[in-house]
Amino acid sequence: MKQLKAVIFDVDGTLAETERDGHRQAFNRAFAGAGLDWYWDEEIYGQLLAVSGGKERIQYYLENFHLQCGSAGNFSEIIDCLHADKTRYYLELLKTQIIELRPGVKRLLGELREQEIRLAIATTTTAENVTALINATLGESAISWFDCIAAGDMVSAKKPAPDIYHYCLQQLQLEAKDCLAIEDSANGLLASVGAGVTTLVTVNAYTVEENFTQAICVVDQLGEPDAPCQVIDGSPIKTSYITAQSLQDLHAQAN
């Protein structure tokens, strides 16, 4: 039986509800700032989340939703400019501190640190976005809690490809069986299990209907002592919320 040595967190939708009230709003501000009449409402954005990566999401929208642009073409320059503006607006939103961590995240990070279980991040968002979110929600010193931040374009293929997890494991100098991942989406789960990492899924409104049969456990949130989580599928837990011990127990079951 392998000991749990590190927990690898996804960011958007896992650490915080950044998609609906953060990235979506930032995209719409970028579109408006560029004089475009595009608007991503919650329904459209939910469909676009099936595509990993902000630039890739704009490209997909151009080819499948905004049909007057044509079904094919090279829009790379436009996309690069829009994505740069979107990132700037997103960072401004984070500074307002309107985006909060999901229930149980801060507590669980503290428990893992107390038990000397290493922390890491594997995400498709940029390292700049990760740092800004951590600074806004946990404080500037908290970025040092993470032994590896595998983010953005550090690998060529984004989730659901497992590349970002392979990269993270290499940086940690750990085997997949040493780790457990926490994800919120089917694409994230495919990436983590594709790299051989046991995965807990904490769903959100955008991902609750997705297929998570490969997860060791699926919950609606990590929970708090006064706000229990609900186990939706997979292995049960011994407490009413996800703790560091819960993760060790789930990891032990899988390994």
Side-chain angles (χ1 to χ4, degrees):
M1 183 175 66
K2 286 275 188 178
Q3 177 187 357
L4 177 60
K5 296 180 181 178
V7 175
I8 305 172
F9 288 84
D10 172 54
V11 175
D12 294 319
T14 299
L15 291 183
E17 294 284 10
T18 54
E19 294 292 8
R20 182 189 61 196
D21 300 325
H23 291 293
R24 185 181 69 88
Q25 288 193 28
F27 275 117
N28 286 331
R29 290 186 186 184
F31 301 153
L36 300 170
D37 63 353
W38 309 350
Y39 180 79
W40 292 356
D41 60 25
E42 291 184 24
E43 181 179 356
I44 288 175
Y45 194 67
Q47 297 176 56
L48 293 172
L49 284 177
V51 180
S52 294
K55 293 180 183 179
E56 292 84 354
R57 213 163 281 158
I58 299 172
Q59 179 76 35
Y60 184 86
Y61 175 74
L62 285 169
E63 295 177 352
N64 295 275
F65 287 80
H66 212 272
L67 298 180
Q68 54 265 54
C69 290
S71 60
N74 185 355
F75 306 106
S76 59
E77 186 174 343
I78 296 172
I79 291 171
D80 286 347
C81 290
L82 286 172
H83 192 261
D85 288 343
K86 174 261 173 182
T87 298
R88 176 167 53 84
Y89 286 122
Y90 178 69
L91 295 177
E92 290 175 0
L93 280 170
L94 286 177
K95 290 178 182 177
T96 67
Q97 297 186 326
I98 64 170
I99 298 175
E100 300 179 347
L101 296 176
R102 293 189 67 186
V105 169
K106 184 176 182 179
R107 170 191 54 75
L108 182 59
L109 290 172
E111 290 181 13
L112 292 168
R113 294 184 70 216
E114 287 177 0
Q115 297 197 23
E116 298 184 344
I117 296 173
R118 298 167 68 187
L119 304 175
I121 281 172
T123 179
T124 57
T125 198
T126 65
E128 185 180 20
N129 284 349
V130 174
T131 300
L133 177 65
I134 296 299
N135 288 350
T137 56
L138 293 168
E140 293 186 2
S141 64
I143 200 71
S144 65
W145 298 356
F146 298 89
D147 288 353
C148 172
I149 295 180
D153 297 325
M154 292 177 179
V155 294
S156 57
K158 296 183 177 180
K159 299 175 183 178
D163 301 37
I164 197 69
Y165 274 95
H166 288 308
Y167 175 84
C168 188
L169 292 170
Q170 289 171 1
Q171 296 301 305
L172 292 172
Q173 296 185 328
L174 293 175
E175 297 180 9
K177 290 184 178 182
D178 296 323
C179 304
L180 182 141
I182 300 182
E183 284 279 358
D184 75 300
S185 69
N187 277 345
L189 176 63
L190 287 171
S192 56
V193 299
V197 181
T198 300
T199 305
L200 166 77
V201 169
T202 170
V203 300
N204 56 56
Y206 279 126
T207 65
V208 65
E209 299 296 332
E210 295 180 358
N211 183 352
F212 297 117
T213 54
Q214 296 184 79
I216 187 71
C217 180
V218 182
V219 294
D220 62 340
Q221 59 170 327
L222 298 178
E224 296 283 12
D226 59 349
C229 69
Q230 177 185 354
V231 176
I232 299 171
D233 198 7
S235 298
I237 58 174
K238 296 177 182 178
T239 55
S240 60
Y241 56 98
I242 298 295
T243 64
Q245 186 60 54
S246 303
L247 299 185
Q248 292 177 81
D249 291 344
L250 292 170
H251 179 262
Q253 289 181 43
N255 294 279

